[in-house]
Amino acid sequence: AAGSDFSSFDALQGGETLSMSGSGTASSKDVANSITMSNNGNLALVDGTGLASNYSLNSTVINITQAPVTLSGSKTYDSTTTVSSSNLTVASGLIGSETLGLTGDVDTNSANAGTYVASSGQITPTSIALADGSNGGLAANYAISDATVTINQKAISLSGTRLYDATTDAVASDLTTISGRVGAETLTLSGTGSVADANVGVETVTVGSLALGDGTGLAANYTLSGGTHQLTINQRPL
């Protein structure tokens, strides 16, 4: 307990002020009020508007308050606003090597892909709570001060078929299967991609100008990046 932590002095006369220097040892490290000092160490009174030499240090107590921690995490778009504690971690504020667990959920104010911050009113804590961790991490010694959650776009995969036409084009109208959508949401597809080989076979599609569009679902909640895109080129009958 550093001298600078002590800010309240009783028995000062005539509005005089003093401060403290040095440090001592509290009888407990955990959050509580009026913790007695087990050892004053080298704590000493320092002149303020009053003279320290006019006073003696009789007893010392200290209040230990909760340390603020921030949470962060992410999930993939799933059309819900609920973010489970399993998707969150204690990102900052832990003391030393202490750890904490988390239970419960938070709710973002929108289900759509994006970044949400509790201090901006975009996250409701709901049932989220800190839990004791290892290395002496007690949940009671900490309080959640802020949280940031990112809802990431969900990867979409495309597939389809067309007849051999001697080109490497993979047009949106040929890629009729859009996989990876949430629930019954629908999306549209426009533009043209390409394949490496114009000949008959199953070819991997390079996205090119292919782009998702809104259906009953929002295209902004999805991405073609990270998906598997294939075009099957069949023989043309003569």
Side-chain angles (χ1 to χ4, degrees):
S4 57
D5 293 328
F6 294 90
S7 57
S8 178
F9 300 83
D10 67 359
L12 290 174
Q13 301 299 300
E16 292 182 347
T17 62
L18 295 174
S19 61
M20 291 270 281
S21 65
S23 63
T25 303
S27 58
S28 170
K29 65 178 178 60
D30 297 322
V31 169
N33 289 328
S34 300
I35 300 170
T36 58
M37 297 291 291
S38 60
N39 187 333
N40 280 338
N42 63 349
L43 287 171
L45 297 170
V46 177
D47 292 348
T49 59
L51 296 177
S53 58
N54 289 329
Y55 298 91
S56 63
L57 187 59
N58 182 39
S59 63
T60 50
V61 295
I62 190 166
N63 300 329
I64 298 179
T65 59
Q66 291 175 312
V69 294
T70 60
L71 311 182
S72 68
S74 65
K75 72 167 187 174
T76 300
Y77 170 73
D78 62 2
S79 81
T80 74
T81 60
T82 300
V83 182
S84 168
S85 58
S86 62
N87 295 111
L88 299 168
T89 60
V90 180
S92 64
L94 290 172
I95 307 300
S97 60
E98 291 185 353
T99 61
L100 293 174
L102 289 168
T103 61
D105 307 305
V106 298
D107 279 332
T108 55
N109 65 355
S110 169
N112 295 323
T115 298
Y116 301 87
V117 182
S119 57
S120 297
Q122 299 166 328
I123 295 175
T124 303
T126 60
S127 61
I128 198 74
L130 298 171
D132 293 348
S134 57
N135 298 326
L138 297 180
N141 288 332
Y142 295 90
I144 298 170
S145 63
D146 207 355
T148 300
V149 171
T150 299
I151 299 178
N152 296 315
Q153 293 173 310
K154 194 172 190 298
I156 286 294
S157 294
L158 306 174
S159 62
T161 62
R162 68 162 169 79
L163 296 177
Y164 170 75
D165 65 3
T167 77
T168 58
D169 291 341
V171 298
S173 57
D174 293 328
L175 299 166
T176 54
T177 300
I178 301 176
S179 304
R181 295 164 297 169
V182 174
E185 292 186 351
T186 61
L187 296 170
T188 62
L189 186 67
S190 61
T192 302
S194 63
V195 294
D197 189 341
N199 296 315
V200 168
V202 179
E203 301 292 334
T204 298
V205 175
T206 299
V207 171
S209 64
L210 290 170
L212 297 169
D214 293 346
T216 58
L218 297 178
N221 289 328
Y222 297 91
T223 178
L224 293 175
S225 177
T228 301
H229 314 306
Q230 291 184 326
L231 176 66
T232 300
I233 301 175
N234 294 322
Q235 293 174 318
R236 179 172 290 276
L238 299 178

